[in-house]
Every structure is written in C-alpha cells, then in structure tokens.
Amino acid sequence: MSVIDPARKVAPDLRRRRTSRPAWEEKPSAAGQVTRGTVLTGVVLAVLIPLWVVLVTSLSSRETINEAGGLVLVPREIDFSAYVTIFSGGLVARALWISTLVTVLGTAVSLTMTVLAAYGLSRPGSVAHRGLLFYFLLTFLIYPGMVPSYLVVTGLGLKNSIWALIMPTAISVFNLVVIRAFFQNIPAELLDSARIDGAGEFRILARIVLPLSRAVIAVVGLFYAVGYWNVWFNALLYMDDNSKFPIQRILQSFILAGQSPNTSGMAVGVSMPPTLAIKMAVVIVTVSPIVLVYPFVQRHFVKGVIIGAVKG
C-alpha cells in the first residue's frame, strides 16, 4: 500500500495559487498590448519630436531655415553660429549663472525649511502642533494675492535681489504635506530607542530620519529645483535690473524682441544667424540643465511620491 505524500498533493494547489493573478493584474491580450504600445509610442513621439525640431533648428543655417519655411525637421549641416551669438555678449552666460545660483541656493533653503517644519509637524507632541498645521493648510484655500505679496517683498527691501526670487516661494505646502506624511510612516519605536540612548531631536533627524527619507527628499528637491530654475513671474515683478535677470527672463526678451540683444553692437557686414535659430538656441540652453539632472533623480521619483503621499 503506497503512502501519498501530503506535500506532493498540496504543492500543485500552491503553485496554482501563486501563478493566478487578480482580474486587474491579468496578462493583457494581444490587442491590448498592441494598443498600449501604440499609445506609449505616440506619447513618446509627441514629446521627442518638438525637442528634436527645436534642437535641429538651433543648429541650422539661414539657408536651411529659409528652405524649410521656418522650423527644420531634417538636418542638413551643423551651424553653431546661434550659440556663439547668444554667448558672445555675456548676457546669457550671466543669466545662466544667476539661475544656477538661485536654483542651488533656493533648493537648499527650501529643503531645509520644509524638512524642519515637516519633522516638527509629524511629531504629535510638538508645541502648537494642530494650530501650526491648520495655519499651513489654510494657504491651500486662501492666497494673499499679487499686490500684498509685492508690498511685502518691496517693504522688506528684497526688490532687485536674488532673495526676491527665493523667499516668496521658500516653502511649498504640498511638498511639506508629502514629507510630513513620509515622516509619520517611520516607526515611533525607532525614534524612541534613539531618545533612550540620549539622542536629541536634531541628531535623530540627521542620523535616522533623513537617511530613511532619501527618496522623498530627492523628489521634493527636484520639484523645488525645477520651480526655481523656471522662475519667471517673480523675476518679472521684482527685477528691474537686467544684469540680474534669470535665464527665463532673458528667454522672454529674446522672443519678444525678435532678435538677440547681443547683436545690436556687431559690425556692419557680419553674417548674422537667423532670428529663429537664436530663439531655439536659447530654448535649448534653458531646458538642458533640467533634462540632464532628471535621469539621476528618476529612480526615486515614483517611490518618493507614492510613499510620501500615502500614509498607512
């Protein structure tokens, strides 16, 4: 009489359970895969083709642009005269330096203030916890408006200063709520054990909380950096000195003026690059830093947003 091993009898059932998926996770049909691939390909092309056209146009000569009737899709030769023109007068180089300074300094200030505020608001026993949290959340519903903000900035003497581009947007309540939710997910037992060992709040924040929060901090830092790099409206309001314009204000002046401000003093008879190539070159210079930085933060993007936005 043979004895049936119970493990052998249960193994097929377990294997069947492991391979089975919920209805929303089932493998899509062939038509579904083709449709998904087509949609994703269309989205990618919708993003890449305009960037390609801008890049090719910025590297095209006057003859190529005239033959294409405007924007160039198929390159013929490479001409860097537009980039030489925009960098020759120093206006774009100075604007890039100001934008870089505002982005680095503003991101550091915003991350520091947001992390400190989020950590304090994530601790239930902190002083005036509910009142401060309500005060921050109230800004979602009530915004002071343009005129009061302008009066505050000018009253503090920040006009025509890079701090006018940083301090009005130093803390984003949305980013603060995301980081606070992430901090609340850190086990309280881990923080209590550090307190028992004699660690203070700043030491706990620096040695325990921040190393566990790299993903969400990287994502929020990217949000802040993109915001400061693309700052335009605050520069329009608070900056009158064109020597302190960020790159976005220079881009606006290039587009509205119809030609590069650096070309006004060039000698007669010098072959000038076309205006459209100059505009496209400024666009490429403007978007390149963010495009180059984003891949290094991309791996933290989804994880940081999902974990920081959902508690529990």
Side-chain angles (χ1 to χ4, degrees):
M1 182 176 179
S2 62
V3 179
I4 300 177
D5 187 1
R8 293 184 179 179
K9 185 176 181 181
V10 176
D13 296 335
L14 292 176
R15 194 178 301 109
R16 207 173 292 114
R17 290 178 184 177
R18 291 174 182 173
T19 56
S20 62
R21 301 179 179 179
W24 58 85
E25 292 183 0
E26 291 181 356
K27 185 178 181 180
S29 61
Q33 290 181 340
V34 171
T35 303
R36 183 174 62 181
T38 303
V39 172
L40 291 177
T41 303
V43 171
V44 171
L45 292 177
V47 173
L48 293 182
I49 290 179
L51 293 176
W52 170 257
V53 170
V54 171
L55 177 62
V56 172
T57 305
S58 69
L59 296 172
S60 298
S61 62
R62 184 181 299 275
E63 292 76 13
T64 303
I65 293 178
N66 291 337
E67 291 179 3
L71 298 174
V72 180
L73 180 61
V74 180
R76 295 189 178 182
E77 75 282 341
I78 297 178
D79 186 358
F80 292 97
S81 59
Y83 292 91
V84 173
T85 301
I86 63 176
F87 283 107
S88 60
L91 187 62
V92 173
R94 184 169 58 248
L96 285 174
W97 160 248
I98 293 175
S99 291
T100 303
L101 180 62
V102 170
T103 301
V104 174
L105 186 60
T107 303
V109 170
S110 294
L111 276 180
T112 302
M113 297 176 65
T114 304
V115 167
L116 292 176
Y119 180 72
L121 293 175
S122 66
R123 303 300 97 194
S126 58
V127 179
H129 171 81
R130 294 184 178 276
L132 289 175
L133 181 60
F134 177 77
Y135 175 77
F136 278 108
L137 296 179
L138 192 64
T139 59
F140 276 128
L141 303 176
I142 302 175
Y143 186 75
M146 185 190 308
V147 175
S149 299
Y150 181 83
L151 294 177
V152 170
V153 171
T154 55
L156 293 175
L158 299 179
K159 192 172 182 180
N160 284 323
S161 170
I162 62 171
W163 293 107
L165 307 179
I166 297 175
M167 298 311 297
T169 55
I171 293 184
S172 169
V173 179
F174 172 79
N175 294 335
L176 186 147
V177 171
V178 170
I179 296 181
R180 174 181 175 271
F182 188 93
F183 287 168
Q184 286 181 316
N185 287 330
I186 297 177
E189 296 79 7
L190 186 62
L191 307 183
D192 292 338
S193 63
R195 293 190 184 95
I196 294 175
D197 292 337
E201 295 298 333
F202 286 101
R203 191 179 184 87
I204 293 174
L205 177 63
R207 295 296 183 89
I208 298 178
V209 176
L210 292 182
L212 295 175
S213 311
R214 292 176 181 174
V216 68
I217 290 177
V219 173
V220 170
L222 177 64
F223 288 162
Y224 277 128
V226 172
Y228 283 119
W229 181 263
N230 291 329
V231 64
W232 169 79
F233 189 67
N234 284 351
L236 182 65
L237 288 178
Y238 308 129
M239 289 294 183
D240 297 330
D241 186 0
N242 59 2
S243 63
K244 298 180 180 179
F245 281 175
I247 189 63
Q248 302 298 336
R249 284 283 282 122
I250 298 299
L251 175 61
Q252 180 200 21
S253 64
F254 273 54
I255 294 176
L256 295 181
Q259 61 180 359
S260 170
N262 299 330
T263 62
S264 57
M266 298 192 68
V268 178
V270 176
S271 178
M272 288 297 304
T275 302
L276 185 59
I278 294 176
K279 293 180 180 179
M280 297 301 105
V282 178
V283 172
I284 291 296
V285 171
T286 303
V287 303
S288 294
I290 298 300
V291 173
L292 295 176
V293 170
Y294 180 77
F296 297 98
V297 192
Q298 181 185 11
R299 62 192 183 95
H300 299 294
F301 193 84
V302 176
K303 179 181 176 182
V305 171
I306 292 178
I307 296 179
V310 180
K311 182 179 183 299

